[in-house]
Amino acid sequence: MFVLARRVDLAEVIGAALTAKASGAGARTIAAGLGRPVETVRGWLRRFRQRAEHVRVYFTVLLVDTALDPIPPALSVSGFADAVAAVLGAWRAAVSRWPDVGTVSPWRLAAAASGGRLLSPLWP
């Protein structure tokens, strides 16, 4: 799965925006860097922020269940950044166990693991 439900952009594009926000970038800067409308990017960020705790829990459990020697990510200053770290950590855990997973981006894995509903209010 390479897209998220009700989204036109690829999971990697949305994931790049989420990762940039977790690193402290603002919506305008992210939108300009991705060549997307600022309102579209704000929508992604808003929805992810609303779902951040659910995403963090889901992907932390996935990380722990997948990794051979799991080390969950430490909490940071924001729930948003924690959720992004959990997604990336789950991807790294999957790659450490199944190296071919490394050919798939973390955000494509997140799209598949969520059934394309990563930003959906009804998931998980």
Side-chain angles (χ1 to χ4, degrees):
M1 181 161 295
F2 56 91
V3 295
L4 299 176
R6 301 184 61 174
R7 308 289 178 220
V8 174
D9 292 286
L10 296 175
E12 288 89 345
V13 174
I14 296 171
L18 301 176
T19 302
K21 178 64 177 172
S23 297
R28 289 185 190 280
T29 303
I30 295 167
L34 295 174
R36 299 300 190 274
V38 71
E39 286 307 315
T40 298
V41 172
R42 279 192 184 125
W44 300 337
L45 301 179
R46 187 177 314 116
R47 182 54 62 95
F48 191 79
R49 186 173 26 262
Q50 293 167 350
R51 308 294 304 144
E53 181 59 15
H54 296 288
V55 171
R56 185 194 65 79
V57 169
Y58 184 87
F59 283 96
T60 299
V61 168
L62 183 61
L63 180 160
V64 169
D65 288 349
T66 303
L68 298 174
D69 188 16
I71 301 173
L75 295 178
S76 69
V77 296
S78 77
F80 194 104
D82 293 341
V84 169
V87 169
L88 299 177
W91 177 79
R92 281 191 291 278
V95 169
S96 73
R97 189 152 191 184
W98 303 290
D100 288 343
V101 172
T103 63
V104 176
S105 77
W107 296 102
R108 193 168 285 201
L109 179 71
S114 68
R117 298 175 295 162
L118 185 68
L119 299 181
S120 172
L122 302 176
W123 179 83

